[in-house]
Amino acid sequence: MNTARRKVNTSGGNPRGSRLRTAAASAAAVALAATGLAALPSSASAAADGIVVQYRTSASGASADQSEPWLKVRNTGSASVPLSSVKVRYYFKADAPSAAYRFACSWAVKGCANITGTFGTPANPTGTADRYLEIGFTAGAGSLAPGADTGDMQLRFHQSSWAPLVQSDDYSFGADRAAYGDWSKVTAHVSGATVWGEAPGGDGPTDPPDPTDPPRDAPTLFDDFDYSSHTDPAINANGWSVRSNSGGPGVPGATWAAENVTFADQGGNSVMNLETSTAGTGASTKHTEILTKSMKFKNGTYASRVKFSDAPRSGPDGDRIVQTFFTINDLKAPMADDYAEYDFEYLPNGGWGEPANILYTTSWETYRPDPWEAVNAHSEVRQSYAGWHDLVVTIDDDEITYYVDGQHFGTHGAAYLPERPMSINFNQWLIDLQGQPSTTPRAYDQQVDYVLHVKDQVLTPAQVNAMVGAYRGAGTSFEDTVPAG
């Protein structure tokens, strides 16, 4: 195992069984269709224009064991700004080309659990800045009202080796900054647009990409799910398998009902529906799943528009149901290091110890089924997500980042990156039958509008919307140029 990817058992908030599956390889290759990509305008809101960053340091020496940039973000605008849309960059010069760094939050008014820190490289490095520390916020950090600030964020970073680092040549460092004050050498970005500060050399941010500059010639899977039924030959030809084999996850004795995966026109757009039903027994329970036959998807961007539901279409409510969009490969052995899985999982009625609706995003390193042990990281929000939602997860060489409706939802670190390609899956299933003991039949629906994967490219949610709009504008309902294997 790569020792840089230390296993951390963080599964306590999401103690469910993993979805081990067997996915047959598919050799189908589809010709690339030339499709123009529509550009979306990029602009910050009036409120975003009022974002200001204040800085001080509690480690003022020319060199130190660790750098301590303490920050506040203020909103001097006229409207509230969700902190999940805000990124702040502190620029510095690496102590050696191969130097690696670690981020930590000592204390924060917003809570350290709601603050993320990742490292990157400017597009045009300078003599005082060839790295940056990017600070982000989870949805749990909330929003900044006009006139409000985040309060103290007592942040720090150090070399992984704990060797001393030199600060005096760092672009954003201010040795005399013993008290908070506006600091233009730290930049702020809202939804990808620079709204405060001056980057070294005048360089603007390159990550996330500009929504007006979609990727070119990147291998892509796009499916608008324009099929007639689960038996439509195009489903198989396009590389999908509608599950009908037995097994987990979910209620023992349940079946996976291929016939309950259906397609219908909604306002001129084809939508896939996954129906899961039960009458309170294992034998009466029918789960649904559709997945790619090929495990050929790894780094890049995954996106889908999914409609979650809080209540059954018919019958009594209360079942502990799971509605999903995820990627996965097979577990070759208990605690195998090359396992990978990245999930959006919505539980409208709770489950796994949760009493009510909750949305999880979970990144898996590995697990052991018996006795159960899981190594994963997860983010969650406890609220209703009934209705349509845009789901995006990006995977690069450093981290996994999740977005819901264009807003940052969670970021998980390098320890959970995939080693092998995966399949793309949607399913809906019942954890157990304890949430609703009635034997009255009931049925739940999860709907899917489209799926998109762009290989080895990290897209913003705005870029995803541009690409999907371009495919639909060109009348393209399916394309797969992602190479097999």
Side-chain angles (χ1 to χ4, degrees):
M1 176 182 177
N2 183 346
T3 56
R5 299 186 56 206
R6 180 174 57 91
K7 291 189 175 100
V8 180
N9 190 339
T10 58
S11 62
N14 187 5
R16 50 98 174 135
S18 182
R19 291 179 295 275
L20 180 61
R21 291 180 188 82
T22 301
S26 169
V30 181
L32 173 64
T35 304
L37 293 174
L40 293 183
S42 175
S43 63
S45 67
D49 290 337
I51 291 295
V52 172
V53 180
Q54 295 189 321
Y55 161 81
R56 62 159 293 194
T57 181
S58 63
S60 58
S63 63
D65 290 337
Q66 54 188 347
S67 184
E68 298 186 34
W70 292 13
L71 303 173
K72 287 183 182 180
V73 178
R74 292 194 302 133
N75 180 7
T76 63
S78 59
S80 180
V81 176
L83 279 168
S84 60
S85 69
V86 176
K87 302 286 188 183
V88 175
R89 288 185 175 180
Y90 178 94
Y91 300 87
F92 64 98
K93 179 177 174 59
D95 294 86
S98 61
Y101 293 85
R102 295 290 181 265
F103 165 77
C105 172
S106 298
W107 184 81
V109 172
K110 289 291 184 180
C112 284
N114 293 317
I115 296 172
T116 63
T118 57
F119 296 93
T121 302
N124 298 303
T126 70
T128 60
D130 54 16
R131 304 281 182 92
Y132 59 77
L133 167 65
E134 182 174 88
I135 302 302
F137 302 88
T138 71
S143 297
L144 276 186
D149 64 49
T150 59
D152 269 340
M153 294 188 290
Q154 298 181 9
L155 313 177
R156 55 191 171 89
F157 66 92
H158 58 85
Q159 291 200 63
S160 299
S161 64
W162 280 104
L165 51 78
V166 176
Q167 299 189 102
S168 56
D169 59 358
D170 292 346
Y171 175 83
S172 295
F173 176 65
D176 60 346
R177 292 282 166 167
Y180 279 112
D182 295 357
W183 191 241
S184 63
K185 290 188 174 183
V186 175
T187 59
H189 317 271
V190 176
S191 300
T194 305
V195 297
W196 169 263
E198 178 69 26
D203 298 331
T206 60
D207 187 17
D210 188 336
T212 64
D213 185 25
R216 300 174 181 176
D217 303 323
T220 300
L221 166 69
F222 172 75
D223 200 330
D224 214 11
F225 294 115
D226 189 8
Y227 303 108
S228 60
S229 71
H230 76 283
T231 60
D232 189 330
I235 293 179
N236 181 70
N238 289 347
W240 294 99
S241 174
V242 182
R243 184 177 177 183
S244 59
N245 60 297
S246 61
V251 175
T255 58
W256 294 83
E259 68 275 13
N260 285 356
V261 177
T262 57
F263 304 86
D265 182 88
Q266 290 188 3
N269 180 49
S270 179
V271 171
M272 177 171 66
N273 190 78
L274 281 67
E275 176 191 297
T276 294
S277 60
T278 188
T281 65
S284 68
T285 301
K286 294 183 178 181
H287 298 151
T288 44
E289 179 169 25
I290 185 169
L291 64 154
T292 60
K293 293 183 290 183
S294 176
M295 287 193 287
K296 63 177 183 178
F297 308 98
K298 195 181 176 198
N299 285 19
T301 299
Y302 300 81
S304 184
R305 188 166 183 256
V306 176
K307 185 178 184 181
F308 297 129
S309 56
D310 280 354
R313 187 183 70 245
S314 61
D317 196 2
D319 289 293
R320 295 169 180 167
I321 196 160
V322 185
Q323 301 170 344
T324 76
F325 165 45
F326 63 101
T327 69
I328 193 172
N329 60 29
D330 54 330
L331 183 73
K332 293 185 176 296
M335 302 302 285
D337 187 48
D338 61 353
Y339 177 73
E341 181 181 348
Y342 307 97
D343 306 329
F344 288 93
E345 293 177 314
Y346 181 53
L347 282 61
N349 293 316
W352 301 322
E354 291 291 332
N357 37 32
I358 183 170
L359 177 63
Y360 285 110
T361 59
T362 309
S363 302
W364 288 79
E365 164 64 3
T366 191
Y367 74 100
R368 176 172 49 225
D370 188 22
W372 176 251
E373 182 180 358
V375 183
N376 63 30
H378 57 86
S379 305
E380 67 280 328
V381 172
R382 292 169 176 84
Q383 69 178 50
S384 172
Y385 279 88
W388 285 104
H389 296 282
D390 295 318
L391 310 178
V392 176
V393 56
T394 64
I395 304 173
D396 60 20
D397 292 332
D398 298 309
E399 62 190 14
I400 306 102
T401 305
Y402 298 86
Y403 301 88
V404 176
D405 297 329
Q407 301 299 313
H408 178 263
F409 191 91
T411 297
H412 304 151
Y416 307 98
L417 292 172
E419 289 91 350
R420 289 190 293 122
M422 302 165 287
S423 63
I424 297 175
N425 305 50
F426 299 88
N427 67 16
Q428 184 179 222
W429 49 282
L430 293 171
I431 297 172
D432 52 40
L433 296 172
Q434 299 171 22
Q436 173 52 268
S438 172
T439 57
T440 301
R442 56 268 191 191
Y444 296 82
D445 289 333
Q446 173 188 339
Q447 296 183 333
V448 182
D449 185 8
Y450 72 86
V451 68
L452 174 74
H453 170 69
V454 182
K455 177 179 170 63
D456 296 331
Q457 297 284 333
V458 172
L459 274 64
T460 64
Q463 286 180 299
V464 168
N465 291 339
M467 291 192 72
V468 173
Y471 277 120
R472 288 177 166 168
T476 303
S477 61
F478 178 81
E479 174 178 283
D480 185 3
T481 60
V482 180

